[in-house]
Amino acid sequence: VQLVESGGGLAQTGGSLRLSCTYSWFTHNDYAVAWIRKVPGNDDEAVACIGTRDGIPYYPDSVRGRFTASRDRVKKVVYLQMNNLNAGDTAVYYCVGDRLREACGSVMASRPRTWDYWGQGTQVTVSS
């Protein structure tokens, strides 16, 4: 199983970026894909999760309304659209996967979780 990320980079405050994550499992698998961001010295924060079969997204309160997760089941790609960015969104963003679709519940509840699969991470920097 592989997760390969693309996107990220530099954005200005109030701007937008889109991250992509290509996954390698079968389309009939009902797995969860989440986006977790890491900042040195801070706890990991999951900012979105989506089921790769049903495409239903979940968000914690901290980003709801600004971030949107979606997926293309044919291309096997999950997207994270990030709008109205601010300096607090600066982080390394990781695409992660779990064989349990229910893992998305931990994202919505902001509960820590050990994920089965990890991408390589992509830097997002927001400047003012």
Side-chain angles (χ1 to χ4, degrees):
V1 170
Q2 282 189 311
L3 295 169
V4 179
E5 300 157 13
S6 61
L10 181 65
Q12 291 189 328
T13 298
S16 299
L17 284 173
R18 189 177 81 160
L19 306 181
S20 301
C21 174
T22 302
Y23 57 90
S24 64
W25 52 78
F26 295 115
T27 55
H28 65 263
N29 288 341
D30 193 15
Y31 289 3
V33 172
W35 293 93
I36 291 178
R37 60 188 183 188
K38 289 179 177 272
V39 176
N42 291 359
D43 293 335
D44 295 351
E45 181 184 16
V47 294
C49 189
I50 190 167
T52 55
R53 194 164 73 182
D54 63 18
I56 297 175
Y58 298 83
Y59 310 97
D61 290 341
S62 59
V63 302
R64 187 173 290 114
R66 295 194 302 123
F67 289 10
T68 302
S70 60
R71 64 97 174 86
D72 185 321
R73 198 175 172 193
V74 173
K75 295 181 179 178
K76 295 200 285 187
V77 178
V78 170
Y79 302 99
L80 181 67
Q81 178 68 41
M82 303 183 291
N83 297 329
N84 194 20
L85 289 164
N86 58 63
D89 297 317
T90 296
V92 178
Y93 284 72
Y94 291 86
C95 173
V96 299
D98 199 288
R99 288 167 288 180
L100 291 177
R101 170 67 176 79
E102 291 75 14
C104 284
S106 67
V107 173
M108 192 166 66
S110 299
R111 287 195 308 268
R113 181 177 183 86
T114 300
W115 297 86
D116 293 329
Y117 312 112
W118 285 75
Q120 79 278 12
T122 186
Q123 177 70 47
V124 170
T125 302
V126 183
S127 65
S128 56

